[in-house]
Structure formats: structure tokens, C-alpha cells
Amino acid sequence: MSRVNDALSSLVSALIPALPDEDESTADQRHEDALELTKGILSNHKRSAESYDINHVSDLIKKKLWRENDAPDKAIQYGNLYSRLLTLPILTQKWAILYLLHQLGDPVSETTDISGSHSPHDIGQKGRHDFRSERPSGSAQYDKDNQGSVPNNASFSARLKQLSTQSAALQNNSRVNERNGTGPDAPSSTPESSSAQGDPDPVQSKINAERPTEAALLRDLPFTLQGLSSTNLTFNSSTTLQLPSTLPIPLISLLHTLAEPSLLYRGLSEFVQSKEEGLIGQSLRSAIGSELRSYLGLIATLEGEIRRAITSLNDSETKVIIGKAGVTLKRCVVWTRDATMGLRLMSLMAEESKSKKGGQLISFIHSFSTSYGDPFVAAFAERMLVHMTRPFYDMLRQWIFDGELSDPYHEFFVIEQDQEQNEDKNADLRRAPATSVWEDKYKLDHDTVPSILTEDFANKVFLIGKSLNFIRYGCRDSAWVEAYSKDASKELHYGDTATLEAFIDKAYKTTMARLIYLMDDKFKLFDHLDALKKYLLLGQGDFIALLMESLSSNLDRPAGSQYRHTLTAQLEHAIRGSNAQYDSPDVLRRLDARLLELSHGEIGWDVFTLEYKVDSPVDVVITPWANKQYLVVFNFLWRIKRVEFALGSTWRRCMTGARGVLASVDDKMGRDWKVARCCIAEMIHFVNQLQYYILFEVIEASWDQLQAAIAKPNCTLDDLIDAHTKYLKAITHKGLLGSARSTITGTREDSFTSQLHHLLKLMLAYKEAVDGLYSFSVAEFTRRQEFAAKVETRTAQGKWGLGDQDDDDLPTPFLPAERAAPKGKSSLPERATDSPVPPLLHTGVDDQMLPSLRKRLQDLSADFRARLVVLLGDLSVQPDVDMKFLGVVMNFNDVYRPERRRKRREGTRDKEKEKDRDRDRERKTPAEKAGRQKESVAEGKASEGGGASVRRQVEKSSGTS
């Protein structure tokens, strides 16, 4: 105790300054009175049972230092001292020490009376409680936590006031003596000033009387926090709380803070009671209702504390020192801080639920737990997600274990599309009616995938449910789905991510393996793909060769004379005569021959095609778009095969005739046949290389890639569809059928498809011209044989081999060169000029046909080489290596010089089209002229009454042409 007494004595000596004119006995008496007063205050101070917040006092001191000092040095120094204070275990009253220092440094204790009659060194200042009672309501804020530490003993207050008056009088007296040298009657003014200061203002007293006390506000606070109006705090609307106008600013500030949870609770209560058409929205309301019930539990606890605090105090104490019982408005603010934060979050969730639903709402709430660093916010969001995601996980469980979508309010990230939308999409040739179960019935909505699931995870979930649904309805294997659902179905809930991922992976592997097994074993998907490759992509060589040979005579006729039963019979003949007969009967019955749409002037080769029919569920992979691609490739390869077959037939005829018929006319047409055989060899080389490239470099290579994609261990039906689509696209692109326009000139006429079409037409036209040359050679050979036979017959009869009359029938090659007339004169002898037959009648038609044939063959050959050079130039600049390789193979010995084209303007394109048309007219002109000349010769001979030999010659010429 001696240490405490010494400390108090030192403190009082430091606070009460020594007066110059005061004797020693008076100073000692004043010191003793002040010491007794402080001891009485300390001994009568009743401390509440609660522990005081040392951090709060420290914050008040630090804020004061920041406010009064521009530089942060004082605050930093205080922080260091405060840290050292906390580390001292010997000091048990740290809060009291800091509180005392805060009170001593409060500006209120340093201010003097308004009249300025008191010195700042006066110890007899008014107590803080008395000063507040005299201060008007508009004054500065005060700290309510300090209210409970101020004594209310009347005797101590009176003695403190008396001591203050005496000290102030002595202080003023000493100052006046120092200024004037005499002692004026200064003390008389001090009591007047002091009495004037102590008298309260009547208006202010009336306001204080009408002002609700803090106890009354605390009594109404539980109702306000529940959104109910009370005596002092009333709700004008759902968003407005009326506060008393007579309250001081500090209380207004506190009530503003407490009004926030009150208004939020009212809004959330209305939100919970509202109706929502959505399972996740209803679950959110249920979760918010659960949190509001917890909030009401907090309010009930707070109300109990307030009632106990008010009951423990009498009426006089309740008005002044309610904080002494441990409950104040400020403490209520602290106690409801976490609840207010939760109400804010729930209010934000409720507001966002008006524009979001399903997975979007879950993602929004989940963002609080992942994007905010506040642990309270993250924990609150996780707690909300546990309740509100239950409907989502129920839908997820039914989808991945049953293949059924139970989503009446469209909140799941899998959407079941309407039948009308499916019908619109079926208009696309890429889709088949059966694919509505797989591709069109369900769709993954990426916008509604919740953030609690990754994108890959959502794709797996989507594929699992879609596969189960397809197995149930598309593959008609519902028994397996029911058994799988019974064995694998598990309860799912939020938070157990590892277990959920394990379930999903297991279900994914099981359903994908079952689906691929059904497509392979039950529906023979891979057998159908192999059959398409063999029959529509010409992989079965012996079948295609026999089919083309048996159909060639029929297909040479016009398209209108073709009959389907005839084509079907020839197809059956080709199947039975080749290795195709050993294929599965199910595969063979799907293969059929049909005719395309007929056009004027077309022949059977132009409209014939093969068709392979597939049904559900195989048409999920082999869609109508895929069938169309197969048809395009087949028609292109069939055309190449036709050209190869035609050129091969012509080549065999030429090689056979070279040892017989053609050798006999070698003196007249030997050079023509050499040129024709060389050109045919070039065309055969081109066709063979093109066919090899498409069948082996393109189709076989793409088929290997398709097989590799199918053989992957985790292959899904979507992977099969994508691999098959990629397979067809590779065939059409690398097979020179992909681009509708040229990549260089940008025109359709310069695309690879168009160029190959023109080249194939040129080769067929050249083949026809060579057949005409062969027919002409055979006719020439026949005439020579007939003439030789006549000579032998006449010689055997003992006559001259040639007579005057027979000289007219002499073929052109037998005429001696010296008898040929000069230009403009007849080449017949003089004795023939009297003949009624006009000169050159016998050989004029033949002399016109052979040059026209030579001209046509020459033009076709030059056009073929020109187009081939352009094609090789286009292939050389292609980015694809295989297409470049095709150009190298076709020109392996550099016999052609590839020509690279540049982009042409529109005018240039029009000119090129006109040139092509003129070139086509020139090709037809010689043959037409020859036909017209034949008709004119026949008419002239008939009009002049020529003999039988003339008519036979005309008939022979007509037959040869």
C-alpha cells in the first residue's frame, strides 16, 4: 500500500501546482485534501464484472495521436510502447492504465470555462459527468464507454467542486498580483463565473428530459432488430426506420449501424416468404430462412442480456450508468457485427437470384468462398452452398446413374430441346432423324455450368447421362441401364469433391465401354464402315472391275433407257462373281444400285451410283451428310474407273490391231497411230497415278487414322463421330474434292474438282476420237482387201487386174504419186474425165475425214497437256504434302513444265470463259463439216443418176464415219 500511496502523492503533487503567495501549511492542507479525495474516488469505484477491451482503449489513444499530430512518429512510438506494455506480466491492470492515460489526455479535461476565468492548470475542473450534463446536444461526440467509470457520489462531487473553486481563486489572485503588484478583488469574480457556469440552460434541460435514454433504446432494440416498430424506433416502410430527432450524434451513429440489420432482416423475411418457380431458388430461400432463425436466436440472447442488465440496476442508475451492467448500444453493435455481415451477403444473394438461376446462382454464391479473403465470408458461403445445392446434386445423381433429366425449371446445365427445334435442325444434312436421341435431344449449356464443376468434369457428366439415355432408348437396352443404376447409384452432396470425382470417372468408363460394345457387337458399326470402304470407296477391286464390265454395254445407252431391275441384276452378278459373295448377308442386303436424277443428254454412266443403306442407331455415326460424302467420292472414283476402263479397252484394241489391221494401213496412218498411242499412254499414266493416290495415299491413310482413333481405350461415341467426320473430310480434301473454289484464283472453274472433271472429259473425248481413227483404219483396210480380192479374181479369169472401169474404184493409197494432178486440177487420168461421175467423188469424203480426225486428236491432246500443266502447277503450291506428292508422281521425269497461275480479275475470267466456248466449237466443227459434206455428196450423186458403185461408195463412207 505504501507504494500506491507514494504514487498517488506524487501524482497529486504533479497535478496541483504550487502557488507563489501560499504558505506552506495551506499548501500541505490543500495537498492532503486532494489526496484524500483521490483515495475516496478509488475506494468507492465499483468495477463491473466484465473484462474491459484493452485494444479498444489503445485504438482510441492511437486515433487521438494521429488526429493531433501531422507526422506519424508519435503514433509509431506509442505502438512500440504499447507492445512493450503487453509483454509485462507484472502489470495486471493494463486496461486501467491505458484508460487513465486516455482520460488525462482528453481535450475536455484541458479546456477551461467558456468565460475563460479559470486556468488550464486548475485542478478543480468540473468532472466529466458534470460537464456532459451541462453541454448542449449539438456539442462534440463523447465516449459512452467512459460513462461507467465516472463516480456518482455526491459528497465527492461537492468536495471536488469546492476544491476547484478554491484553487481557481488562488490561481487568479496570484496572477493579478503579478501583473499589478497589488491584490485586486479578483476572487469575487470567480464565484460568479463559477455559479454562472453551473446553472443549466432551461431549453437544454427540457430537450434532455424529452430525449429517450440509452436504456429505453436498449429496451426497444430487440424489436427493432426483428423488423418490428417500437416506442422510440418506428418503421415507416420496409426500407425506412424513423429515429428520434432529439438524440445526440453519437447515438444517432450507433442507431444507424443497428438499423442496417433491421432493414436487411425485413427484406429477407419478405424474400423467404415469396414464391419461386425453381428448386434451387426454393432451396436458397430455405437456406436463408435457416440463417434468419439463427439470427433470431442471437436477438433472443441479446434481449436476455439487456433485460438482465436493466433489471440489475435501479431506476436512477438506469438513466445514467446502464453501461455499468455490461450492455451498451456500442456493445450491441459489436455483438451483431457478424450477423450484419451475414445479412448483407444473404441480401446480395437474394437480389442476384432475381436475374440468375440454377448453375449461375450457384456460381455466384461459390464466388464468395473462392474470390474473397475474409474467412467469415468464405465460411458463410460454404454453409449456404451445402443447403442450396441439394436439388442440383439430386438432378446430377439421376442424370449420371439413370440417364434421366429431372429438371422441371431448367436449372441444370443439361438442356432437353423441344421437338420443333429438333425438326428444324434435322433439315441439316449432317443430321439424321435418329440422331435426335444423341445429338439433338440434349445439349450442354456452358453458361449454366456451376463453378463448383470444371469444364472437363461437366463434359464427362454430360456424356455419361447422354450415353445412358442413348443406351436406353436408341440401343433398346434399358435392362442394363436399370441394373447399372441399382448397383452404382450413390447419394451426392456438396463438399465431397474427391468422392464425386471417383463416381464420375467410374461411371464414365462403364457407360462408354458399354456403348462402344453395343455399337460394335450388336449393331456391327465397324463392319458397316468397312463395307462402305470396300464398295463405295472402290476398295473391293474384283467386284468393281466385274461390275463395270457387266454394266458397260448398258451404261453406254441414254439415261432414259436405264432400268433399275437391270442394274440390280448386274449388281447381283458382280457380287456372286467376286469375293464380295463371302461378306455378311446383312451387309450385302444393304448394298443397292440406283439412278440419280436424270438430265437431258446424259447417258447411263452419268446417273448410275451405288447406295449403302444404314439404320438406327448406326446412322448416328453414318449420318445423311456422311452418306452424301460417300456418294460424292464414289461418283468421282466411278468416273475415274470409267475413264480407266475406256482407255484400257482402247489401248488393248490398238495393241491388238497394230499386228494386223493397223499394220496394213501403216503407210497412210502410221504416224497418226504413233502419236495417238503416246497420248493414250500419257492419259493412262495420269489416271493410274490419280487412282493410286486417292485409293492408297488418301483413303488407306485416312482409314488407318480412323482405325487408330477407334482403338483408343477411352473412346466415346462422340470420338467415333468426330473421327469418322474427320476421315471423310480428309478424303474429300486430299482427294481433290474438298474446295469448291480454287485457292489461287478464287473461282469455281479453277478448283481441283472442276479441273479433274475437264481432264476426264478430254480423255473420254480423245478415246472417242481414237475409236473413230480406228474405225477409219478398219474401213481403209477393208477397202484394200476388197480391191485385192477383185484383182486376184480378174487375174484368175485371165483378164487384166485393172480395167478402165475398175480404175474409178481405185482407193486413194493405190493412185501413183505421179498421177496426182497439180493444185486446181483433177488427179484422175484423162480417160476418166468423160465419166459421168464427178472428179474426186470416190476419195473426197475420205480425204476430208482423215484431216478432221487428225485435227481433233491434235486439239484434244494439246488441251489435255495444257490443263495437266496447270493442274501440276496448282498441286506444287499446295500446303498439303500428299497433294504435292501427287504432282511429283505425275511428273516424275519432268516431261511437263508446271505453270503457276496468278489471281485473275473478273474481266479476265469472262474472257477465259469465251475462249473455252470457242475452243469447244472448233472441236465440233470438223466433224460437223464432214457430216454435211457426206450428205451433200449423196444428194449430188442421187440427182445425177449415178450407178450402183456410187451408191455403195456413199454407203461405205457413211458407215465409216
Side-chain angles (χ1 to χ4, degrees):
M1 270 315 275
S2 60
R3 187 167 58 86
V4 176
N5 291 334
D6 293 340
L8 285 176
S9 177
S10 302
L11 180 60
V12 170
S13 299
L15 292 176
I16 300 177
L19 300 177
D21 297 338
E22 186 180 16
D23 54 359
E24 185 177 354
S25 60
T26 305
D28 292 340
Q29 183 63 34
R30 187 161 56 86
H31 179 76
E32 290 295 334
D33 293 341
L35 186 59
E36 291 177 3
L37 177 61
T38 54
K39 289 180 180 181
I41 293 174
L42 293 176
S43 61
N44 287 278
H45 176 64
K46 295 181 180 179
R47 185 177 174 187
S48 61
E50 68 169 349
S51 60
Y52 295 97
D53 189 358
I54 187 173
N55 293 323
H56 178 62
V57 180
S58 176
D59 291 340
L60 292 176
I61 296 174
K62 187 177 293 186
K63 289 178 181 178
K64 181 178 183 299
L65 293 174
W66 278 102
R67 186 170 59 253
E68 295 179 354
N69 297 278
D70 296 335
D73 299 340
K74 296 293 184 181
I76 296 175
Q77 185 178 5
Y78 166 75
N80 296 332
L81 294 175
Y82 174 68
S83 301
R84 294 172 60 186
L85 175 65
L86 294 177
T87 58
L88 296 177
I90 194 172
L91 298 177
T92 58
Q93 303 293 332
K94 297 182 179 66
W95 176 86
I97 294 172
L98 292 178
Y99 186 72
L100 177 61
L101 294 176
H102 174 61
Q103 293 286 34
L104 293 178
D106 197 313
V108 178
S109 63
E110 297 176 0
T111 56
T112 59
D113 191 85
I114 298 175
S115 62
S117 61
H118 295 274
S119 170
H121 298 286
D122 295 343
I123 188 173
Q125 291 178 333
K126 288 182 176 288
R128 298 179 61 83
H129 175 68
D130 298 331
F131 182 80
R132 291 184 185 122
S133 63
E134 295 174 359
R135 188 172 47 186
S137 60
S139 60
Q141 298 182 9
Y142 61 90
D143 190 358
K144 295 186 298 302
D145 289 345
N146 303 336
Q147 202 171 7
S149 63
V150 179
N152 60 349
N153 193 299
S155 60
F156 289 148
S157 299
R159 290 194 61 189
L160 183 60
K161 187 179 290 186
Q162 180 183 2
L163 185 60
S164 172
T165 305
Q166 294 175 0
S167 177
L170 293 174
Q171 184 71 14
N172 288 335
N173 190 16
S174 63
R175 289 187 178 181
V176 172
N177 290 335
E178 290 178 359
R179 289 195 304 267
N180 302 330
T182 58
D185 192 15
S188 62
S189 62
T190 303
E192 295 175 359
S193 174
S194 181
S195 62
Q197 184 181 4
D199 293 336
D201 188 2
V203 179
Q204 185 65 31
S205 299
K206 183 178 180 180
I207 294 175
N208 293 337
E210 296 177 355
R211 177 186 301 168
T213 61
E214 186 175 1
L217 295 175
L218 286 172
R219 191 181 294 110
D220 295 340
L221 183 61
F223 301 97
T224 304
L225 292 176
Q226 297 179 59
L228 303 175
S229 299
S230 59
T231 304
N232 298 309
L233 303 172
T234 58
F235 287 92
N236 294 336
S237 64
S238 60
T239 58
T240 306
L241 177 62
Q242 181 68 36
L243 301 179
S245 59
T246 58
L247 292 177
I249 294 178
L251 286 180
I252 292 293
S253 176
L254 294 175
L255 290 177
H256 269 292
T257 306
L258 292 171
E260 182 183 2
S262 306
L263 296 174
L264 291 176
Y265 177 80
R266 283 176 66 94
L268 290 173
S269 298
E270 296 176 358
F271 174 75
V272 170
Q273 295 174 1
S274 63
K275 295 182 179 180
E276 168 66 18
E277 294 185 355
L279 298 178
I280 295 180
Q282 295 175 10
S283 181
L284 174 63
R285 282 164 171 76
S286 176
I288 292 177
S290 177
E291 293 294 330
L292 291 182
R293 287 191 293 272
S294 300
Y295 171 77
L296 291 179
L298 173 64
I299 300 304
T301 304
L302 181 61
E303 184 179 7
E305 293 292 332
I306 293 174
R307 289 183 177 181
R308 278 194 297 270
I310 294 176
T311 305
S312 63
L313 302 174
N314 53 37
D315 294 339
S316 59
E317 292 175 333
T318 302
K319 295 180 181 179
V320 182
I321 54 174
I322 184 64
K324 186 176 181 180
V327 179
T328 60
L329 288 175
K330 182 174 287 187
R331 290 195 178 99
C332 290
V333 170
V334 175
W335 290 341
T336 59
R337 182 178 298 168
D338 291 344
T340 303
M341 178 64 71
L343 292 173
R344 288 176 187 168
L345 294 175
M346 289 188 291
S347 178
L348 187 58
M349 296 174 188
E351 189 67 26
E352 289 294 330
S353 66
K354 298 178 182 178
S355 59
K356 293 181 174 65
K357 68 175 185 178
Q360 294 178 345
L361 185 58
I362 294 176
S363 300
F364 175 75
I365 298 176
H366 185 251
S367 64
F368 287 108
S369 63
T370 57
S371 303
Y372 289 84
D374 191 346
F376 174 81
V377 175
F380 186 86
E382 291 288 329
R383 190 165 66 250
M384 292 289 294
L385 286 172
V386 170
H387 293 283
M388 70 168 296
T389 54
R390 288 174 182 172
F392 175 81
Y393 279 97
D394 288 340
M395 290 184 281
L396 180 63
R397 181 185 58 80
Q398 293 185 19
W399 177 251
I400 64 175
F401 293 124
D402 297 332
E404 298 290 345
L405 181 61
S406 177
D407 184 20
Y409 300 105
H410 306 289
E411 297 176 299
F412 200 55
F413 58 87
V414 177
I415 300 175
E416 184 174 5
Q417 304 185 84
D418 298 335
Q419 186 66 25
E420 296 179 357
Q421 296 177 354
N422 292 341
E423 292 176 357
D424 294 339
K425 289 185 177 180
N426 287 337
D428 187 1
L429 293 177
R430 292 174 180 265
R431 306 174 185 273
T435 59
S436 59
V437 181
W438 181 256
E439 291 186 354
D440 295 335
K441 186 175 182 180
Y442 297 108
K443 178 184 176 184
L444 177 61
D445 188 4
H446 296 276
D447 296 333
T448 57
V449 175
S451 57
I452 58 178
L453 303 178
T454 61
E455 195 69 26
D456 295 338
F457 196 82
N459 286 327
K460 279 188 176 182
V461 170
F462 176 67
L463 282 177
I464 289 170
K466 190 168 68 169
S467 300
L468 289 174
N469 191 275
F470 184 74
I471 292 172
R472 183 192 295 269
Y473 298 106
C475 301
R476 296 175 292 278
D477 193 10
S478 58
W480 181 87
V481 177
E482 297 294 338
Y484 165 77
S485 176
K486 186 180 297 184
D487 296 338
S489 182
K490 304 290 182 182
E491 187 69 25
L492 304 177
H493 56 85
Y494 176 77
D496 195 1
T497 307
T499 305
L500 179 61
E501 290 181 353
F503 286 159
I504 295 298
D505 291 339
K506 184 178 179 181
Y508 180 79
K509 293 178 181 178
T510 304
T511 54
M512 293 302 109
R514 179 64 182 180
L515 182 57
I516 297 301
Y517 169 77
L518 289 175
M519 297 298 289
D520 182 19
D521 185 73
K522 183 177 180 180
F523 301 105
K524 307 297 181 182
L525 171 63
F526 303 139
D527 292 344
H528 294 314
L529 292 176
D530 186 60
L532 286 167
K533 175 178 174 291
K534 289 195 297 185
Y535 298 117
L536 295 190
L537 301 183
L538 310 190
Q540 191 75 26
D542 56 343
F543 165 77
I544 297 298
L546 185 57
L547 178 65
M548 183 164 289
E549 185 177 355
S550 60
L551 286 175
S552 58
S553 58
N554 291 329
L555 297 181
D556 285 333
R557 295 181 297 178
S561 62
Q562 304 295 325
Y563 299 99
R564 187 168 183 177
H565 64 274
T566 305
L567 302 179
T568 304
Q570 297 296 335
L571 177 64
E572 289 290 334
H573 169 70
I575 291 174
R576 293 178 181 179
S578 64
N579 288 331
Q581 61 182 321
Y582 302 110
D583 280 346
S584 171
D586 180 64
V587 171
L588 295 178
R589 71 176 178 84
R590 297 174 183 274
L591 188 62
D592 191 16
R594 69 183 182 91
L595 299 174
L596 300 176
E597 295 182 2
L598 303 180
S599 299
H600 179 70
E602 290 182 340
I603 60 175
W605 292 101
D606 300 326
V607 296
F608 173 79
T609 186
L610 288 181
E611 181 183 21
Y612 190 86
K613 301 176 183 179
V614 294
D615 50 16
S616 176
V618 179
D619 57 357
V620 170
V621 179
I622 307 172
T623 61
W625 174 84
N627 283 328
K628 182 181 178 182
Q629 296 301 109
Y630 278 116
L631 182 61
V632 170
V633 177
F634 170 78
N635 290 334
F636 179 65
L637 293 176
W638 182 255
R639 192 179 306 163
I640 295 176
K641 274 290 184 182
R642 174 200 174 186
V643 174
E644 181 194 23
F645 178 79
L647 292 178
S649 301
T650 302
W651 180 263
R652 287 193 298 272
R653 181 187 298 178
C654 293
M655 292 297 102
T656 305
R659 297 187 294 269
V661 177
L662 300 183
S664 301
V665 295
D666 188 65
D667 56 341
K668 183 177 181 180
M669 289 175 288
R671 183 177 180 278
D672 298 330
W673 278 110
K674 290 180 181 179
V675 174
R677 282 194 291 267
C678 290
C679 189
I680 291 177
E682 291 182 23
M683 293 180 179
I684 292 176
H685 170 74
F686 171 79
V687 171
N688 289 338
Q689 294 301 326
L690 179 62
Q691 188 174 234
Y692 163 80
Y693 166 75
I694 296 177
L695 293 179
F696 294 96
E697 297 295 337
V698 176
I699 295 179
E700 288 296 335
S702 301
W703 177 258
D704 292 340
Q705 295 177 0
L706 176 62
Q707 293 291 95
I710 292 174
K712 289 182 179 179
N714 296 327
C715 182
T716 65
L717 188 58
D718 277 334
D719 295 337
L720 282 179
I721 296 173
D722 295 339
H724 184 249
T725 303
K726 184 179 179 181
Y727 165 69
L728 291 178
K729 288 182 177 179
I731 291 175
T732 54
H733 173 68
K734 292 186 177 182
L736 310 180
L737 297 173
S739 58
R741 296 179 180 271
S742 173
T743 57
I744 300 175
T745 62
T747 59
R748 294 181 180 272
E749 294 79 6
D750 296 331
S751 63
F752 286 119
T753 306
S754 179
Q755 292 184 59
L756 291 175
H757 175 70
H758 285 297
L759 285 171
L760 295 177
K761 286 177 62 178
L762 286 174
M763 285 185 278
L764 289 176
Y766 194 85
K767 177 255 180 189
E768 293 176 357
V770 171
D771 289 343
L773 182 63
Y774 186 84
S775 299
F776 184 85
S777 300
V778 171
E780 182 69 22
F781 173 75
T782 303
R783 287 194 295 269
R784 291 187 180 187
Q785 291 292 331
E786 291 176 354
F787 186 79
K790 182 181 289 188
V791 169
E792 292 178 358
T793 302
R794 290 179 63 86
T795 304
Q797 294 177 357
K799 300 180 181 179
W800 293 99
L802 292 176
D804 296 338
Q805 185 177 2
D806 297 330
D807 193 26
D808 298 337
D809 297 333
L810 185 66
T812 303
F814 290 90
L815 292 177
E818 60 274 5
R819 293 179 60 183
K823 187 176 182 180
K825 296 183 180 181
S826 174
S827 60
L828 295 177
E830 291 295 334
R831 63 179 177 271
T833 55
D834 298 332
S835 175
V837 181
L840 302 177
L841 176 63
H842 309 290
T843 59
V845 175
D846 296 340
D847 291 341
Q848 291 295 329
M849 285 185 62
L850 184 59
S852 65
L853 288 174
R854 290 172 177 172
K855 183 71 167 57
R856 181 166 178 77
L857 290 172
Q858 183 180 359
D859 292 343
L860 291 175
S861 176
D863 198 1
F864 170 77
R865 289 189 176 90
R867 290 187 178 274
L868 180 58
V869 165
V870 173
L871 176 64
L872 294 177
D874 291 346
L875 290 175
S876 64
V877 297
Q878 292 299 313
D880 190 87
V881 179
D882 294 332
M883 298 177 74
K884 285 185 177 180
F885 176 73
L886 173 61
V888 173
V889 171
M890 288 182 176
N891 192 24
F892 67 95
N893 55 356
D894 292 334
V895 68
Y896 306 108
R897 294 183 179 180
E899 178 183 346
R900 296 185 180 181
R901 294 180 298 180
R902 297 180 180 179
K903 291 187 177 181
R904 297 176 294 181
R905 299 178 181 178
E906 295 296 333
T908 308
R909 295 173 187 171
D910 296 338
K911 293 179 181 179
E912 291 292 335
K913 293 180 181 178
E914 292 295 334
K915 290 181 180 179
D916 292 339
R917 296 192 190 100
D918 296 339
R919 193 180 296 114
D920 293 337
R921 295 193 196 101
E922 291 176 359
R923 292 172 188 164
K924 297 178 181 179
T925 300
E928 293 175 355
K929 288 182 179 179
R932 286 194 297 268
Q933 187 172 1
K934 293 175 186 177
E935 295 175 358
S936 62
V937 170
E939 292 174 356
K941 288 184 177 291
S943 61
E944 293 179 3
S949 62
V950 176
R951 287 195 297 271
R952 286 195 303 270
Q953 183 68 22
V954 172
E955 290 176 359
K956 290 179 181 179
S957 301
S958 301
T960 304
S961 62

